[in-house]
Amino acid sequence: KADLSTDPPCHSRASITDCLAKNSYNEAKCRSQVDALYKCCNAFYAQNGDDAKSASCPKASLLKLKMKQGADEGSK
């Protein structure tokens, strides 16, 4: 919840860029940071509506797709 009160919302979860840079942009090596960002953004949209904007979050429709893809990969 504290992540939602930062400016921009979920920005503290954006440390993902550091992780990606250190790991040659291999998203799999930063999965926990990616998941944390997506959870924060999902809560942000749940609280503010799908039309809300945060520089740290993908658009709501893309976020939902990414979360679904992540869930599908996890169930393989």
Side-chain angles (χ1 to χ4, degrees):
K1 292 202 180 234
D3 294 331
L4 293 177
S5 63
T6 60
D7 186 23
C10 302
H11 186 68
S12 61
R13 295 296 178 184
S15 64
I16 184 173
T17 53
D18 294 336
C19 180
L20 289 169
K22 287 184 211 167
N23 290 289
S24 302
Y25 294 89
N26 181 345
E27 193 175 301
K29 292 192 176 184
C30 302
R31 176 60 36 211
S32 63
Q33 288 95 328
V34 171
D35 289 345
L37 175 65
Y38 288 172
K39 283 181 185 173
C40 181
C41 292
N42 195 44
F44 168 74
Y45 288 122
Q47 181 176 315
N48 298 290
D50 285 356
D51 292 331
K53 292 188 177 10
S54 171
S56 302
C57 296
K59 288 183 178 179
S61 57
L62 179 60
L63 175 67
K64 288 177 178 145
L65 175 65
K66 288 287 198 180
M67 291 181 79
K68 182 182 181 326
Q69 289 171 339
D72 289 348
E73 286 177 15
S75 64
K76 287 183 181 174

